[in-house]
Structures are given as C-alpha cells and as structure tokens.
Amino acid sequence: MKINFDEIFAVTAPGLENVCADEVSSLLARNVVAERGGVSFSGSLEELYRVNLWSRVASRILVRVGSVKATDFPELHRKVKRLPWGRFVKPDTPIVVRSSSRQSRLNHTGRINETLIDAINGALGRTGCSTSAPAQTIIARFNNDSCQFSVDSSGELLHRRGYRTEVSQAPLRETLAAGILRLLGWHEQQPLYDPMCGSGTFLIEAALMAIGRAPGLERGFAFQSWPKYREGLWNNIVNEARRSERKPTVTLYGSDADAEVVAVAKRNAERAGCADLIKFSKIDIDDVAADESSGLVVCNPPYGIRLGEENELDPLYRKIGALYSKSFKGWTGALFFPSEQLAKETGLNLKVVAELVNGGVPTKLFVGNL
C-alpha cells in the first residue's frame, strides 16, 4: 500500500525558501508552498526519500504527525497518546523531543518534553527505551495553546554531506553555499573562481552540481529506522541517482594565501570525489588571475562581526575590489558578508540580491557586473 503524507516541511535557512521550493517542485512533490523558514509540500515515501537525497539547500525534512489543543498536562498526555507514533518509531528506538512554546498556558519546555516522551512511550506500549540506537527526533511547537508535532526524517542536518571533516576558520555551511550558487544563477557550464576558498565549500558544492551527484549519497537518514521503511524503494532511488551522474564540462578554481587552508580544501574535495574538477592553488589575493574571459567569481571573506574589528578589514576589502575589477573583467562578481560599509570599501558597483543568515549573523549577498 502506498504511504502518503499530507504535509511535509523542508526547513531552510532564511532567504533560501524560494530556491528550496523550486528544488522540491523539480522532485515531483505536490502542493509545494514556500513559507517563512521553509517549504511545505505533500507526497509519498518516494518523494520524501528523494527530497532528503537530492536537496542541496534544505536543513532537514520534517513530516507532520498532527496537532492538538491542550491547556493542561493531563490533556496534553491524553491527546498525544492517540497520535500515530507507531508509523515513525519502532518499539526499540529511543526518542528525543525538542519543544518550544509561545503565548500558551503550557510553557515549561522541560515538563512538555517529559509529558510527550511519557505519552509516546505509552502509545508504543513501552515504559521507556534503553537501547543505544540512534534516537528519533520529534519537534513540538506550542502556539496559542495549540501544539504541532513533527518527526524528523533526516537525522543529522542535511548540510552534513560527509565530505567536510576538516574546516578552516569560520566555515560556510554546505546548504548555504549551494543556495547562494542557485541565487546567483550559476549553471554547470559557467567557470567559477573563489579567491578566498577556505574549506572549499563553494567549489565542492558547485562540482557536485556539475556532475549531477545527489548530495545525500554518502550518508544515512532517520527514515531508514522507521517501521515502514522500504529498503527496495530507497535502493532504487539511490541507484537511479548514481546512474544519472554526468561528465562535467566546466573547470572550477580555488585559491587561498594559506597553504594549509588550500591543503584542507583539497582533502575535502577528495573525500567528495570531485578533486579532479577543481584547480586549487596557494596564491596571494594580489596575484590571482582568471584564465577565462567570463564566469562567476564569488567569495565569503572575513568580516568584523565574526573575525575581528570591522574597520581593520577595510584594506582587505579594497584589495578584493581591486582584484575583482582588474583580474575578472567581464565576469559576474559576488561577495557574501553583512556590511554595507565594507561593500563601499571595495569600490565596486554592487547591489544586494538576497538577505541571508550565516551562523546566526544577518548577512547580505552582493552582486555586480565587472
């Protein structure tokens, strides 16, 4: 029997909702709607599996279990126990509850969590779970005395592709890097250069796009521990993804002034299986030069909120502006950082095309024709 879910929710970083909606729609999900903080859609197990495997920009994929209205803990316990937890949690699977509450009479999240765990254990016919198996995460959100329940189908956050076991200072999440490339309209035949490549995240995400590799191929997911998990269906989807990979037609370039940072980026690319697509070099920013006449140059430079006082970075941003205008004429130039003042220091004609968040810091995506 085909299992369908009326509401699935792909959680995204702020500013990436529309990009994620396009992605989810391309995977044949139904009723796709971009909302604040993510994308809601409906689909079967197949769509749920595909979105987890293929989403480059979502943080996690939640399945809505149901909602209840409760103004005291006995009522909450009674109503939660009636929800279909057996569809998502095996008798020997531990559970973890993450709750929040606003404008509700039940506002003590610690007691909410205890009540939910006890109710779910009761629904599963057990008093607890002592196994060391990976826990199933359940999200509970109270608002105006109504609580919505979701189960996490992803497990580890989806930016954890499995390749980036080493990071440089202030790394960029893989999902955010992929989302920025989509916002910039980068396509798989366009040269790409990151002159401050750090861990190589922009370039590795671009390489995975260029070869059409599903970002979730080398990791596991929480849904694989669900009672109704269909291993045959999952294997078919994975094998189909492997067969769809293609030979790339683009060269990607990354450089950094720090030799150890470049070495880290190379090793990350090797783990991702795309090292042959990226030309990494140790080059000071003053000496960077482009081999092609057009393309996209993008970087996530250090900025004051994260790595030091902002005014100390003025000379660096002047250097970046000089590099972009001298070495990348005819290219599209993009920079990702929070400060309008630092944007002015580049001397470039930049406009803000997106407002995003990086590590909790409100950040902007600046773009200009060079």
Side-chain angles (χ1 to χ4, degrees), residues 115-347:
T115 301
L116 298 182
I117 289 172
D118 188 63
I120 294 168
N121 283 335
L124 297 173
R126 66 189 193 186
T127 57
C129 185
S130 59
T131 68
S132 58
Q136 172 63 60
T137 298
I138 294 163
I139 311 293
R141 299 193 184 281
F142 258 106
N143 187 27
N144 293 320
D145 294 327
S146 181
C147 191
Q148 182 182 66
F149 300 97
S150 305
V151 292
D152 171 31
S153 71
S154 302
E156 282 197 298
L157 290 171
L158 293 178
H159 77 272
R160 293 174 181 162
R161 321 280 205 221
Y163 67 77
R164 198 173 69 172
T165 58
E166 299 176 85
V167 296
S168 59
Q169 195 171 19
L172 190 68
R173 278 192 173 182
E174 295 86 335
T175 45
L176 184 54
I180 288 171
L181 291 174
R182 291 302 195 208
L183 285 168
L184 292 171
W186 182 79
H187 57 81
E188 290 77 0
Q189 290 79 43
Q190 185 181 31
L192 178 69
Y193 201 125
D194 183 349
M196 302 180 74
C197 67
S199 303
T201 311
F202 273 131
L203 298 161
I204 295 171
E205 289 300 310
L208 296 177
M209 292 181 192
I211 61 179
R213 179 169 297 163
L217 276 179
E218 305 303 325
R219 53 161 289 160
F221 299 89
F223 63 72
Q224 291 174 288
S225 297
W226 290 2
K228 299 287 188 178
Y229 171 56
R230 292 176 55 191
E231 185 175 11
L233 173 63
W234 173 244
N235 288 338
N236 287 340
I237 291 171
V238 168
N239 291 334
E240 178 188 81
R242 294 190 188 281
R243 290 193 301 269
S244 71
E245 292 186 15
R246 54 185 177 264
K247 187 175 180 180
T249 59
V250 67
T251 302
L252 311 171
Y253 304 88
S255 59
D256 201 283
D258 187 324
E260 181 51 36
V261 166
V262 173
V264 166
K266 285 181 177 179
R267 291 193 292 269
N268 285 336
E270 287 167 0
R271 280 185 286 270
C274 60
D276 57 331
L277 299 182
I278 308 170
K279 293 184 178 180
F280 285 111
S281 306
K282 178 194 174 299
I283 306 176
D284 188 83
I285 193 169
D286 293 323
D287 300 321
V288 170
D291 291 337
E292 278 88 357
S293 59
S294 65
L296 172 66
V297 55
V298 60
C299 72
N300 172 220
Y303 42 84
I305 296 172
R306 190 173 57 184
L307 295 177
E309 293 300 324
E310 184 175 304
N311 57 10
E312 294 178 3
L313 295 173
D314 288 354
L316 172 62
Y317 278 74
R318 294 187 198 113
K319 279 189 176 185
I320 294 172
L323 166 70
Y324 273 33
S325 59
K326 181 181 99 174
S327 300
F328 292 95
K329 286 183 179 178
W331 286 51
T332 298
L335 291 162
F336 180 59
F337 55 91
S339 171
E340 297 274 2
Q341 179 56 42
L342 288 175
K344 292 177 182 177
E345 291 295 331
T346 67

Side-chain angles (χ1 to χ4, degrees), residues 42-188:
S42 58
S44 65
L45 278 177
E46 181 172 355
E47 284 74 49
L48 180 70
Y49 292 177
R50 287 187 188 279
V51 174
N52 269 290
L53 177 66
W54 279 102
S55 179
R56 300 186 190 278
V57 300
S59 301
R60 67 167 81 244
I61 312 300
L62 305 176
V63 176
R64 305 299 194 201
V65 180
S67 60
V68 302
K69 191 172 182 67
T71 56
D72 60 50
F73 286 103
E75 181 183 23
L76 177 65
H77 187 284
R78 185 174 65 256
K79 290 182 175 179
V80 168
K81 193 174 179 180
R82 296 173 185 162
L83 295 175
W85 300 108
R87 297 178 65 186
F88 306 101
V89 185
K90 290 180 179 178
D92 60 348
T93 300
I95 55 175
V96 172
V97 176
R98 296 178 183 171
S99 63
S100 61
S101 179
R102 59 188 300 270
Q103 299 179 338
S104 298
R105 275 167 277 193
L106 300 184
N107 54 27
H108 189 294
T109 55
R111 190 171 176 193
I112 290 172
N113 293 350
E114 292 173 1
T115 301
L116 298 182
I117 289 172
D118 188 63
I120 294 168
N121 283 335
L124 297 173
R126 66 189 193 186
T127 57
C129 185
S130 59
T131 68
S132 58
Q136 172 63 60
T137 298
I138 294 163
I139 311 293
R141 299 193 184 281
F142 258 106
N143 187 27
N144 293 320
D145 294 327
S146 181
C147 191
Q148 182 182 66
F149 300 97
S150 305
V151 292
D152 171 31
S153 71
S154 302
E156 282 197 298
L157 290 171
L158 293 178
H159 77 272
R160 293 174 181 162
R161 321 280 205 221
Y163 67 77
R164 198 173 69 172
T165 58
E166 299 176 85
V167 296
S168 59
Q169 195 171 19
L172 190 68
R173 278 192 173 182
E174 295 86 335
T175 45
L176 184 54
I180 288 171
L181 291 174
R182 291 302 195 208
L183 285 168
L184 292 171
W186 182 79
H187 57 81
E188 290 77 0

Side-chain angles (χ1 to χ4, degrees), residues 9 17 34-38:
F9 192 77
E17 293 91 346
E35 303 176 8
R36 184 178 179 182

